[in-house]
Amino acid sequence: MKLELPDQKKQVYRMSIPIRWGDMDAMGHVNNTTYFRYLETIRIDWMHSIGGAPDPQGEGPVIVNAFCNFYQQLEYPGDVIATMYVSDIGRSSFESWCTLSRVDDPETVYAAGGATTVWVDFPLKKSKPIPDWLRAHLL
């Protein structure tokens, strides 16, 4: 299965993530599971930057699916440029997307992924409408 990033999306965040020696596997490249950590890192860092850190006693974002397409191998040493986008804003969910490039090769997308993000009430374990303050960041 290969999912593509949509043409209609809004860039909401960008950050640099260092590639650690321990991110590599026995084959000498960044392990596939680490890419999902990079996607998680930018998603959570973005939420913190806009005041939306998950509150286990209140509400916050939960992903209900995730994917990553691997185009080229990332290798140590280096730094990843993670760029996050959003699209398809609904009542309680939106799509988040991310491209991963290298600082020393910013035009090449090494991997791209995404996730469906749902806003939830954690104590009730139910989705709830995206709050207005977050919707303002998404639109």
Side-chain angles (χ1 to χ4, degrees):
M1 172 185 294
K2 184 174 180 182
L3 301 172
E4 297 295 330
L5 276 66
D7 291 331
Q8 298 287 19
K9 59 189 177 300
K10 176 185 176 184
Q11 182 179 329
V12 292
Y13 200 67
R14 188 176 182 122
M15 69 183 295
S16 178
I17 304 169
I19 299 171
R20 301 169 305 169
W21 173 259
D23 291 345
M24 293 190 304
D25 61 18
M27 301 305 293
H29 58 262
V30 171
N31 185 274
N32 61 349
T33 60
T34 304
Y35 289 76
F36 285 95
R37 286 282 185 202
Y38 296 159
L39 300 177
E40 174 188 58
T41 297
I42 189 169
R43 202 169 38 248
I44 293 298
D45 205 62
W46 171 64
M47 290 303 297
H48 278 270
S49 78
I50 62 172
D55 175 6
Q57 305 307 315
E59 54 190 59
V62 170
I63 64 167
V64 296
N65 66 31
F67 77 95
C68 187
N69 297 323
F70 307 97
Y71 302 118
Q72 291 193 36
Q73 297 177 15
L74 287 169
E75 298 172 347
Y76 176 89
D79 294 292
V80 173
I81 299 171
T83 306
M84 186 169 164
Y85 306 87
V86 296
S87 72
D88 303 295
I89 297 95
R91 182 190 74 81
S92 62
S93 68
F94 61 93
E95 301 298 324
S96 59
W97 312 92
C98 183
T99 58
L100 301 175
S101 302
R102 286 182 60 102
V103 169
D104 59 357
D105 186 12
E107 299 304 315
T108 301
V109 175
Y110 284 69
T116 300
T117 305
V118 177
W119 196 256
V120 300
D121 179 311
F122 290 117
L124 294 179
K125 298 180 182 172
K126 289 187 169 190
S127 68
K128 65 180 296 183
I130 295 170
D132 292 339
W133 66 264
L134 175 56
R135 189 171 294 279
H137 287 281
L138 301 174
L139 297 175

